[in-house]
Amino acid sequence: SKRAGKASPERAKLLKAYDRLKAEIATYENNIGFFANSKNTNPLVEQMKQRIEQLKQQFAKVVAQIQALDEA
């Protein structure tokens, strides 16, 4: 049944990843706010922006996997 699939260990693992990625993205975005005003941190800000982009791609994949499980 549909209901049983929603409580699967795989879905639980995906939800953990979802929460972790969401928190990590928020942390990086918050940190950029601190560094943006400093003149000497440009390379650091660029690194953080790249990392956020990678995390957002991973996040989108996790969301898609959760949706696929929920539709199965």
Side-chain angles (χ1 to χ4, degrees):
S1 75
K2 267 188 163 185
R3 206 98 177 90
K6 291 193 178 187
S8 73
E10 184 182 355
R11 189 173 193 281
K13 194 174 97 177
L14 287 169
L15 286 175
K16 255 188 185 168
Y18 175 94
D19 290 339
R20 181 183 56 78
L21 287 165
K22 194 171 178 175
E24 207 173 333
I25 290 167
T27 299
Y28 274 106
E29 287 177 338
N30 189 40
N31 288 346
I32 280 180
F34 291 118
F35 289 114
N37 299 330
S38 179
K39 292 218 183 287
N40 300 326
T41 55
N42 242 3
L44 188 60
V45 170
E46 282 310 306
Q47 276 183 327
M48 282 195 270
K49 284 181 180 174
Q50 287 173 1
R51 182 68 182 134
I52 288 169
E53 208 42 55
Q54 292 169 343
L55 289 168
K56 284 184 175 178
Q57 288 171 11
Q58 290 174 16
F59 185 75
K61 283 181 191 167
V62 168
V63 169
Q65 289 174 317
I66 291 169
Q67 288 172 341
L69 273 180
D70 286 352
E71 291 166 7

